[in-house]
Amino acid sequence: MKARVVVTLKNGVLDPQGKAIEGALASLGVAGVTGVRQGKVFDITLSGTDADAARETLKAACDKLLANTVIENYAIETSA
Amino acid sequence: MKARVVVTLKNGVLDPQGKAIEGALASLGVAGVTGVRQGKVFDITLSGTDADAARETLKAACDKLLANTVIENYAIETSA
């Protein structure tokens, strides 16, 4: 079973990396971009086939390692 | 207009960071994870409202800055 976990900064948390990208895009002549926030994505393969069990495993993975839940949100999408 | 760009490594490109995460999850007692590949996500705000123009802008942004197209794929999702 495959899953994708997307980890993004919570609203209100400053994102200097995103600001730098925004500035770089303007310098490169890419117009019309008014905001950039960067996050992380994890494409995860799991051994089981049960979607609920997979979701529990991924929730544990996010809470323990993949996301800093003080400043980051995470979203889990599973697919067959 | 808002958009999300997801940049992932192409198949066949080694991902030591993903491997490290896989090992760390096993050490932390999260069982059942057989593969991890890490990518980047960019949540981008654009000034225009035309979806086609936004897609062109984002394509330019990806080719010029956000993705290394030699080893990375990118996917663009736009939303209103």
Side-chain angles (χ1 to χ4, degrees):
Chain A
M1 158 161 265
K2 289 187 179 295
R4 169 164 282 185
V5 173
V6 179
V7 177
T8 49
L9 284 172
K10 287 184 179 175
N11 286 335
V13 178
L14 289 177
D15 181 7
Q17 194 173 9
K19 276 282 166 208
I21 293 166
E22 198 181 321
L25 285 173
S27 309
L28 287 167
V30 180
V33 173
T34 56
V36 179
R37 286 178 78 79
Q38 183 167 3
K40 289 172 284 187
V41 60
F42 302 93
D43 285 321
I44 298 178
T45 316
L46 295 138
S47 55
T49 53
D50 179 37
D52 289 341
R55 197 163 276 275
E56 282 307 306
T57 301
L58 291 168
K59 218 172 155 307
C62 287
D63 289 330
K64 285 183 181 173
L65 184 71
L66 302 181
N68 175 355
T69 52
V70 177
I71 57 165
E72 290 172 329
N73 291 321
Y74 61 84
I76 296 169
E77 304 155 28
T78 51
S79 59
Chain B
M1 156 162 268
K2 288 187 179 295
R4 170 165 282 185
V5 173
V6 180
V7 177
T8 50
L9 284 172
K10 287 185 179 174
N11 286 334
V13 178
L14 290 175
D15 182 8
Q17 194 173 9
K19 277 282 166 208
I21 293 167
E22 199 182 321
L25 285 173
S27 310
L28 288 167
V30 180
V33 174
T34 56
V36 178
R37 287 178 77 78
Q38 184 168 3
K40 290 172 283 186
V41 61
F42 302 94
D43 285 320
I44 298 178
T45 315
L46 295 137
S47 54
T49 52
D50 179 36
D52 289 341
R55 196 163 276 273
E56 282 307 306
T57 302
L58 291 169
K59 218 171 156 304
C62 287
D63 289 329
K64 285 185 180 172
L65 184 71
L66 302 181
N68 175 354
T69 53
V70 177
I71 57 165
E72 291 173 328
N73 291 321
Y74 60 84
I76 296 168
E77 303 155 29
T78 51
S79 59

